[in-house]
Amino acid sequence: MTSSPKAGVIFAILSFLLWGVTPVYFKLLTDENPLDVVANRVLWSAILLGIIIGVMGKWSKVKAVFSSRRVLLTLMGTTSLIGTNWLVFIYAISVDRMLDASLGYYINPLMTVLIGILFLNERPSILQYVAMGSAVIGVAIQIFLLGYLPWISIALPLSFSVYGYLHKKTPTDSFTSLFLETAMLLPLAFIIMGYVFQSGGGEESHLANRDWSTWFILMLAGPVTTLPLLLFSAGAKRVSLSTLGFLQYISPSMIFCLAIIAYDEPLHFETGLTFAFIWFGLIIYSLDSFRRSKR
């Protein structure tokens, strides 16, 4: 692979485009139990990542993790977080709440800034405080006008931001980490599959009655999970963080458009107002990040 910044931008854009269309994939599985979909995502991702690590000759890095109790405990924490993130996202798609998922991923960079303040002693600029304040107002609008906490929009960025923070404290690369995380989730995944097999949950969703096409779609969870990660890792090594910061809004924007245009989710005035405050905060945040990178 070429190491030019232009190639890095292409890799990054492709990764965000793929993440942006993942709801289309998971919409194909809305008749299945969300827990079972997550279990299959874990299984097929672990298998594919194991093959990739074998081809790349990284088994020594996998073994090295077990020599450090601190790293192993940290990865146990990231395992629970990524599992929660996957489950909440798949649940949001299955119950037609893609707008809540989109809002969550818009909030994600601002949540990351907040975690940096709380745990890494980072000192944000005044504009970053304004951006976070705008996001808080946006969430408050939904709480007071709609009368409920948009928990999906909070759970997704919170789990992913803490996941990223914990990964800053581990020396393992992304593929080794994700393989170990999916491997740690495998016992739970098999328990879930066994439960679904025994309980059924309807004739169509019973494992024994699934047709080959449904199994094939479930197996695609492996490349659906790992391919964007491969492209993102390749892109992140070649472009600046400020460039990645701008490009990361591709995915939630695509999810937003899919929810409104393709899946006819209603955009109520209160929800639109929430998005307006989030977008305003992101514009402020992005301009400030661009200004800092130019310095």
Side-chain angles (χ1 to χ4, degrees), residues 16 22 78 98 120 124 141 234 272 294:
F16 290 122
T22 50
T78 59
M98 286 172 57
L120 298 176
I141 286 172
K294 294 293 287 184

Side-chain angles (χ1 to χ4, degrees), residues 200-214:
E203 190 68 21
E204 291 184 0
S205 64
H206 199 291
L207 270 67
N209 296 304
R210 277 186 185 151
D211 55 35
W212 66 268
S213 60
T214 302

Side-chain angles (χ1 to χ4, degrees), residues 5-289:
K6 184 177 180 181
V9 170
I10 293 173
F11 293 143
I13 289 176
L14 286 174
S15 70
F16 290 122
L17 287 174
L18 288 174
W19 275 322
V21 297
T22 50
V24 177
Y25 166 76
F26 288 113
K27 275 289 185 181
L28 298 175
L29 298 167
T30 51
D31 291 335
E32 303 297 320
N33 187 319
L35 283 171
D36 192 33
V37 175
V38 174
N40 275 274
R41 186 176 189 180
V42 168
L43 172 62
W44 301 113
S45 296
I47 292 172
L48 183 57
L49 284 163
I51 294 172
I52 292 173
I53 287 174
V55 171
M56 297 175 70
K58 289 190 174 184
W59 283 112
S60 59
K61 292 187 176 182
V62 174
K63 294 177 182 178
V65 171
F66 293 93
S67 64
S68 172
R69 185 170 177 269
R70 182 183 64 83
V71 173
L72 192 59
L73 288 174
T74 302
L75 284 177
M76 288 180 180
T78 59
T79 296
S80 62
L81 288 167
I82 197 64
T84 300
N85 187 273
W86 286 355
L87 178 59
V88 172
F89 181 74
I90 291 171
Y91 170 79
I93 302 303
S94 67
V95 296
D96 298 324
R97 293 182 66 178
M98 286 172 57
L99 283 175
D100 285 359
S102 171
L103 179 61
Y105 286 119
Y106 275 124
I107 294 174
N108 187 71
L110 302 178
M111 186 77 76
T112 301
V113 173
L114 179 61
I115 288 176
I117 297 171
L118 295 175
F119 298 105
L120 298 176
N121 296 318
E122 294 181 356
R123 300 183 64 181
S125 66
I126 294 176
L127 289 178
Q128 286 180 327
Y129 276 118
V130 171
M132 287 186 291
S134 182
V136 170
I137 292 172
V139 173
I141 286 172
Q142 285 217 333
I143 295 175
F144 290 108
L145 297 185
L146 294 181
Y148 68 90
L149 176 69
W151 68 270
I152 290 174
S153 303
I154 302 299
L156 286 174
L158 181 61
S159 59
F160 199 72
S161 297
V162 177
Y163 175 82
Y165 162 72
L166 290 178
H167 266 292
K168 279 183 171 291
K169 305 174 79 63
T170 60
T172 54
D173 62 88
S174 56
F175 297 107
T176 302
S177 298
L178 189 58
F179 169 72
L180 286 168
E181 287 160 357
T182 52
M184 289 178 186
L185 285 171
L186 274 177
L188 181 59
F190 287 133
I191 291 172
I192 291 171
M193 288 179 173
Y195 170 77
V196 174
F197 181 80
Q198 292 294 328
S199 62
E203 190 68 21
E204 291 184 0
S205 64
H206 199 291
L207 270 67
N209 296 304
R210 277 186 185 151
D211 55 35
W212 66 268
S213 60
T214 302
W215 278 114
F216 177 73
I217 293 171
L218 286 168
M219 290 175 66
L220 288 177
V224 164
T225 300
T226 56
L227 183 57
L229 179 63
L230 280 166
L231 291 167
F232 177 78
S233 296
K237 293 177 181 178
R238 294 167 172 81
V239 300
S240 65
L241 286 176
S242 58
T243 300
L244 279 178
F246 283 111
L247 295 178
Q248 71 178 323
Y249 304 133
I250 293 174
S251 301
S253 298
M254 291 178 66
I255 296 173
F256 177 86
C257 292
L258 282 171
I260 299 297
I261 299 171
Y263 298 111
D264 298 320
E265 287 193 23
L267 180 61
H268 301 293
F269 171 77
E270 295 87 350
T271 305
L273 197 58
T274 295
F275 271 100
F277 274 95
I278 298 296
W279 286 333
F280 174 75
L282 289 175
I283 290 171
I284 297 298
Y285 169 80
S286 299
L287 291 175
D288 184 66
S289 297

